[in-house]
Amino acid sequence: MEKATISEVARHEGKEVTLNGWLYNKRSSGKLWFLLIRDGTGIIQGVASKEDVSESTFQHCMDVTQESSLSVTGIIAEDKRAPGGYELQVKELRILQLVEDYPITPKEHGTAFLMDHRHLWLRSSRQVAILRIRQEIIRACRDFFDQNGFVLVDAPIFTPAACEGTTTLFETDYFGSQAYLTQSGQLYMEAAAMALGKVYCFGPTFRAEKSKTRRHLTEFWMLEPEVAFMDLDGDMELAENFIAYIVQRILQNRSEELKQLERDTASLEKIGTPFPRLTYDEAVQILKKKGINFEYGNDFGGTDETVISEGFQKPVMIHRYPAAVKAFYMKNDPEDLSKALCVDVLAPEGVGEIIGGGQREDDYDTLVEKIKKHQLPLKAFQWYLDLRRYGTVPHAGFGLGIERTVSWICGLPHVRETIPFPRMMHRLTP
Ligand code: 4AD
Ligand code: MG
């Protein structure tokens, strides 16, 4: 008797195996029980016939309830009609724990209820598919940079200063002085790029977002590359190659999961380079033409981003926003000092910004001015200014939000399902 996992039953065709897992669902037609068994690697249908199994096993089939843990032995047989192409002809069923009143039933539940039971909701096949796609997206992110000569450098989580504005900082006591949870690893990647040339970090980042939107989490994961001797054009090229690579990898390695989510893959198949590039001014023109009431000079809101990206089948790269609405570290466009050499990548299908980045201010005096203008504490940025004191060079990078990328690729309207245990303004549990 061999132990097997459901994902590899094809290898055991015609043989007797034991599967360990949980009951997903079941139905009966008199002398037959059809058990849907899941083990994390997949789902298989087990068929138990009253004539072929012992009385106690048949009784267990009658008794076993949703999410009861079990161990089942039987023969793997090919069956074209079965989900996955194989079924298990049950010989023996042992119940490890008989579950009573599993809270999530196959009927519809409200989102709040499911979020409260996120620790159990993760077991549903839809959530499993999303988590598998998330894993592959993360793997693709790392592979892309690892294969292109980047060095992974881990950024700290405790930081002494703000990177992305002071309004979304999570403060914490650090042995009597004040520290913040990091909003971005960027400043540290700039230091690392001066040491290693091409670097990236990947980790959790934190923002005290007080807005309740479908795009904002308070804890999210970001992938941030940074490259020495790169300008905004190089940055945009890197971003488009990176996104196209991720989408290709998911189409290649997670097609089953996309099918399960009923994701229309035709739109993903169109994501080849180059991506359209628009200046901020051109994007504003689109809004004007579509009759949107937008004040020139502002940053785009979620709805504006949706409207702008509607006209494109690929992600669209918007560059050169007004410097006034962007972070202190951005370099101004020498052709128009009111603009920043920055780029936001907006994903199609209404998802909005998935990447923010650009070329960094590399001049010492200008950077000092900017820190002051943003009313940030100069003292906390002395180490960062050292990068402009000692061998400063043009450099650029960006940050890709993993959850928004997952929501785009999976076709999910809200980021809450893209991360195992979402953290939002009103959600800290489970
Ligand atoms: O545009 P942002 O704020 O850029 C930065 O943090 C730069 N320091 C990155 C860099 O240049 N190294 O954030 C980057 C991306 C956004 O495009 C979005 O995908 C994601 O991070 N993001 C969020 N995702 C979920 N919830 C939030 N509250 C997010 N805030 C940003
Ligand atoms: Mg941004």
Side-chain angles (χ1 to χ4, degrees), residues 164 184 186 207 209 217 220 224 353-355 360 401:
E164 295 300 325
S184 157
Q186 178 194 323
R207 304 216 185 154
E209 303 276 3
L217 296 162
F220 63 98
E224 298 180 85
E353 180 195 334
I354 54 171
I355 277 184
R360 320 307 187 186

Side-chain angles (χ1 to χ4, degrees), residues 326-378:
K326 289 291 179 183
F328 76 95
Y329 51 72
M330 303 231 180
K331 189 172 178 66
N332 291 57
D333 184 359
E335 315 258 304
D336 172 0
L337 290 175
S338 74
K339 299 284 167 45
L341 290 176
C342 64
V343 60
D344 275 9
V345 183
L346 313 185
E349 303 173 73
V351 172
E353 180 195 334
I354 54 171
I355 277 184
Q359 196 174 329
R360 320 307 187 186
E361 181 52 68
D362 48 27
D363 177 69
Y364 177 86
D365 292 327
T366 317
L367 187 55
V368 169
E369 258 171 53
K370 283 173 183 253
I371 292 172
K372 285 184 184 157
K373 205 163 142 200
H374 280 81
Q375 298 179 320
L376 294 166
L378 256 183

Side-chain angles (χ1 to χ4, degrees), residues 96-154:
L96 306 179
Q97 187 195 31
L98 186 67
V99 164
E100 276 173 49
D101 303 326
Y102 185 67
I104 304 179
T105 57
K107 69 164 193 186
E108 292 274 312
H109 293 284
T111 310
F113 178 86
L114 289 170
M115 292 292 285
D116 286 341
H117 293 84
R118 183 67 178 164
H119 50 296
L120 302 176
W121 187 22
L122 290 181
R123 303 180 187 192
S124 82
S125 50
R126 217 180 128 74
Q127 298 306 314
V128 166
I130 295 168
L131 291 183
R132 285 182 181 283
I133 291 173
R134 179 186 168 99
Q135 179 219 15
E136 185 64 16
I137 288 173
I138 291 171
R139 188 150 57 182
C141 288
R142 307 190 83 129
D143 285 349
F144 178 84
F145 289 108
D146 290 345
Q147 287 163 14
N148 283 289
F150 285 70
V151 179
L152 173 71
V153 178
D154 301 310

